[in-house]
Amino acid sequence: MKVYIETFGCAMNHKDSENILAKLKADREAVQTDKITEADLIIINTCSVREKPIQKLFSELGSFNAIKKSGAKIGVAGCTASHLGREIIQKAPYVNFVLGARNISKIISVLDKKGAVEIDIENDESLELYPSLPVSNFRKSINISIGCDKQCSFCIVPFTRGEEISIPTDLIISETQKAVENGAKEVLLLGQNVNNYGRRFSSLTPHRDINFTGLLKEISNISGLERIRFTSPHPLHMDNKFIEEFATNPKIAKGIHMPLQSGSNKILKMMKRGYTREWFIDRVERIRRAVPEVAISTDIIVGFPDESDSDFNDTLELLNIAKFEQLFSFKYSPRPLTEAKDFKNQIADDIASERLIRLQAIHQKIMEDLAINRKNKIYSVLFDSFDSESNCLIGRTSSGLLVKAKGEKINFGEIRNVKIIESMRTQMKGQIIF
Ligand code: SAH
Ligand code: F3S
């Protein structure tokens, strides 16, 4: 069986696609193809966080159906599958199955059931073990929790991925050990609200009392593992103990995502984010003090309902204080099931577009300034590939920055010190020194 799988959205969606493929490989000896016309099974793993990907889903489904091999099946998985369920088959009757984001483990059972819809939002997949696929580029993503318990007023995820359940610590440890045995040097711990780990475990099994900081400590004891990353954490749960562990544990990579969303206290409250602008600034300053080489990325939504010029200016001002190394910015998109879609004073699209442009321009300037400061510094870089065009080795710093380097022949998967010769906004060039 040849499978074509297209994945939209977050890192967890990519991991879900990997898990789907792993099951198909083990059960049906499936192989992945990048040619739709050759596929016996086409899966679109969807995202529903903003509206655009949903429009794209139906236009893609139509064009995939038109070119697919005769007899090939089409399945829709992920958050839009959870949210729209049977409606997808009503709109596109040639779709064979719909597999919600919390029902990924049921991939084999829906394959031969025409019209199957598996979208149980209470399904507990936290104990599920998937066959492992080979490690690529020395990195492996490991789920540590499913669902999200926060109810940010703009966000559809709690409705598509359901209540938060942490995966048992022992399972995470054994999955990480397996990944390291298979060649991984770096793991990416995944959850929608990753640092709320330990809040609730499956009722189907006993569990230990442990939080995210404790989990990081345990994982870092695995020998052969060099770097631990995680996404996405919530700023609210970044307590002092966590920051201390982040700063002092050499295996924890020094890049962190701190999704701000807005710099205005009024908007943060309407978003139900649970922190204030002051708390956020305090966390950033504390992290930068403890880890001077840290790279901080963020998510910002512009044009949230009732966002005034003054609220937006608060966000711009915070950008200049925090000086994020990376920014993911979005225009607010009203989502079904969420509270914010019914808020008064929805912001006109042209105003939101203009704010997005201003925000991104300020960020570009910040990135330029940060880049200048990196010149002549020395970074430890994990090399994973070679770029024949530039004749350079390619790797990432602990903080996640992309580095191209010339120097002696090294084995991929090795960490080396690199002196930065040229530093641009999104990548650096350097020389391996030892
Ligand atoms: N905790 C999750 C967040 C999922 S959504 C994670 O693991 O990434 C990712 C980002 O999309 C959010 O941080 C937010 O900035 C943005 N987003 C979510 N809902 C949105 C909406 N309705 N409109 C615009 N952007 C949104
Ligand atoms: Fe969404 Fe907020 Fe959870 S952004 S995924 S409800 S932390």
Side-chain angles (χ1 to χ4, degrees), residues 148 150 152 154-155 157-158 192 234 273:
C148 181
K150 294 270 179 290
C152 302
F154 53 81
C155 185
V157 171
Q192 294 299 327
H234 194 294
R273 290 290 289 174

PDB file of all heavy atoms in Angstrom, residues 148 150 152 154-155 157-158 192 234 273, ligand 2:
ATOM      1  N   CYS A 148      -5.811  19.900  25.751  1.00  0.00           N
ATOM      2  CA  CYS A 148      -5.448  21.141  26.446  1.00  0.00           C
ATOM      3  C   CYS A 148      -6.577  21.573  27.381  1.00  0.00           C
ATOM      4  O   CYS A 148      -7.732  21.623  26.980  1.00  0.00           O
ATOM      5  CB  CYS A 148      -5.169  22.259  25.445  1.00  0.00           C
ATOM      6  SG  CYS A 148      -4.685  23.794  26.270  1.00  0.00           S
ATOM      7  N   LYS A 150      -6.599  24.545  29.001  1.00  0.00           N
ATOM      8  CA  LYS A 150      -6.796  25.991  29.025  1.00  0.00           C
ATOM      9  C   LYS A 150      -7.999  26.286  28.143  1.00  0.00           C
ATOM     10  O   LYS A 150      -8.325  25.520  27.234  1.00  0.00           O
ATOM     11  CB  LYS A 150      -5.554  26.686  28.480  1.00  0.00           C
ATOM     12  CG  LYS A 150      -4.339  26.501  29.347  1.00  0.00           C
ATOM     13  CD  LYS A 150      -4.272  27.612  30.373  1.00  0.00           C
ATOM     14  CE  LYS A 150      -3.077  27.448  31.272  1.00  0.00           C
ATOM     15  NZ  LYS A 150      -3.172  26.305  32.201  1.00  0.00           N
ATOM     16  N   CYS A 152      -8.409  29.352  26.359  1.00  0.00           N
ATOM     17  CA  CYS A 152      -8.147  30.659  25.762  1.00  0.00           C
ATOM     18  C   CYS A 152      -9.343  30.990  24.863  1.00  0.00           C
ATOM     19  O   CYS A 152      -9.764  30.147  24.073  1.00  0.00           O
ATOM     20  CB  CYS A 152      -6.843  30.627  24.970  1.00  0.00           C
ATOM     21  SG  CYS A 152      -5.428  30.164  25.974  1.00  0.00           S
ATOM     22  N   PHE A 154      -9.957  32.521  22.260  1.00  0.00           N
ATOM     23  CA  PHE A 154      -9.864  32.542  20.795  1.00  0.00           C
ATOM     24  C   PHE A 154      -9.633  31.164  20.195  1.00  0.00           C
ATOM     25  O   PHE A 154      -9.679  30.994  18.986  1.00  0.00           O
ATOM     26  CB  PHE A 154      -8.707  33.456  20.346  1.00  0.00           C
ATOM     27  CG  PHE A 154      -7.384  33.123  21.003  1.00  0.00           C
ATOM     28  CD1 PHE A 154      -6.604  32.093  20.536  1.00  0.00           C
ATOM     29  CD2 PHE A 154      -6.947  33.838  22.119  1.00  0.00           C
ATOM     30  CE1 PHE A 154      -5.401  31.770  21.153  1.00  0.00           C
ATOM     31  CE2 PHE A 154      -5.745  33.524  22.744  1.00  0.00           C
ATOM     32  CZ  PHE A 154      -4.977  32.482  22.256  1.00  0.00           C
ATOM     33  N   CYS A 155      -9.369  30.164  21.030  1.00  0.00           N
ATOM     34  CA  CYS A 155      -8.732  28.932  20.542  1.00  0.00           C
ATOM     35  C   CYS A 155      -9.682  27.745  20.445  1.00  0.00           C
ATOM     36  O   CYS A 155     -10.406  27.418  21.384  1.00  0.00           O
ATOM     37  CB  CYS A 155      -7.557  28.585  21.462  1.00  0.00           C
ATOM     38  SG  CYS A 155      -6.612  27.181  20.864  1.00  0.00           S
ATOM     39  N   VAL A 157      -8.619  24.618  19.873  1.00  0.00           N
ATOM     40  CA  VAL A 157      -7.923  23.360  20.193  1.00  0.00           C
ATOM     41  C   VAL A 157      -8.580  22.545  21.331  1.00  0.00           C
ATOM     42  O   VAL A 157      -8.743  21.336  21.199  1.00  0.00           O
ATOM     43  CB  VAL A 157      -6.419  23.625  20.476  1.00  0.00           C
ATOM     44  CG1 VAL A 157      -5.727  22.388  21.011  1.00  0.00           C
ATOM     45  CG2 VAL A 157      -5.722  24.103  19.202  1.00  0.00           C
ATOM     46  N   PRO A 158      -9.000  23.183  22.443  1.00  0.00           N
ATOM     47  CA  PRO A 158      -9.623  22.372  23.490  1.00  0.00           C
ATOM     48  C   PRO A 158     -10.876  21.616  23.008  1.00  0.00           C
ATOM     49  O   PRO A 158     -11.235  20.583  23.562  1.00  0.00           O
ATOM     50  CB  PRO A 158     -10.008  23.402  24.558  1.00  0.00           C
ATOM     51  CG  PRO A 158      -9.064  24.530  24.336  1.00  0.00           C
ATOM     52  CD  PRO A 158      -8.840  24.583  22.855  1.00  0.00           C
ATOM     53  N   GLN A 192       0.133  20.410  23.808  1.00  0.00           N
ATOM     54  CA  GLN A 192      -0.473  21.714  23.519  1.00  0.00           C
ATOM     55  C   GLN A 192      -0.180  22.696  24.644  1.00  0.00           C
ATOM     56  O   GLN A 192      -0.231  23.909  24.465  1.00  0.00           O
ATOM     57  CB  GLN A 192      -1.990  21.576  23.316  1.00  0.00           C
ATOM     58  CG  GLN A 192      -2.377  20.777  22.087  1.00  0.00           C
ATOM     59  CD  GLN A 192      -1.866  21.397  20.799  1.00  0.00           C
ATOM     60  OE1 GLN A 192      -1.771  22.601  20.691  1.00  0.00           O
ATOM     61  NE2 GLN A 192      -1.531  20.568  19.819  1.00  0.00           N
ATOM     62  N   HIS A 234       3.339  27.207  28.255  1.00  0.00           N
ATOM     63  CA  HIS A 234       2.471  28.356  28.537  1.00  0.00           C
ATOM     64  C   HIS A 234       3.217  29.265  29.527  1.00  0.00           C
ATOM     65  O   HIS A 234       3.722  28.778  30.541  1.00  0.00           O
ATOM     66  CB  HIS A 234       1.166  27.856  29.159  1.00  0.00           C
ATOM     67  CG  HIS A 234       0.076  28.875  29.180  1.00  0.00           C
ATOM     68  ND1 HIS A 234       0.168  30.021  29.935  1.00  0.00           N
ATOM     69  CD2 HIS A 234      -1.116  28.941  28.548  1.00  0.00           C
ATOM     70  CE1 HIS A 234      -0.933  30.742  29.758  1.00  0.00           C
ATOM     71  NE2 HIS A 234      -1.728  30.096  28.920  1.00  0.00           N
ATOM     72  N   ARG A 273      -5.831  34.451  29.241  1.00  0.00           N
ATOM     73  CA  ARG A 273      -4.509  33.837  29.219  1.00  0.00           C
ATOM     74  C   ARG A 273      -3.974  33.563  30.629  1.00  0.00           C
ATOM     75  O   ARG A 273      -3.029  32.806  30.805  1.00  0.00           O
ATOM     76  CB  ARG A 273      -3.525  34.739  28.460  1.00  0.00           C
ATOM     77  CG  ARG A 273      -3.796  34.780  26.981  1.00  0.00           C
ATOM     78  CD  ARG A 273      -3.464  33.471  26.312  1.00  0.00           C
ATOM     79  NE  ARG A 273      -2.039  33.205  26.237  1.00  0.00           N
ATOM     80  CZ  ARG A 273      -1.522  32.061  25.793  1.00  0.00           C
ATOM     81  NH1 ARG A 273      -2.307  31.070  25.425  1.00  0.00           N
ATOM     82  NH2 ARG A 273      -0.225  31.891  25.741  1.00  0.00           N
TER      83      ARG A 273
HETATM   84 FE1  F3S B   2      -5.149  26.941  22.652  1.00  0.00          FE
HETATM   85 FE2  F3S B   2      -4.614  28.282  24.825  1.00  0.00          FE
HETATM   86 FE3  F3S B   2      -4.525  25.606  24.834  1.00  0.00          FE
HETATM   87  S1  F3S B   2      -3.883  28.748  22.779  1.00  0.00           S
HETATM   88  S2  F3S B   2      -4.020  25.052  22.757  1.00  0.00           S
HETATM   89  S3  F3S B   2      -6.331  26.888  24.564  1.00  0.00           S
HETATM   90  S4  F3S B   2      -3.081  27.027  25.846  1.00  0.00           S
END
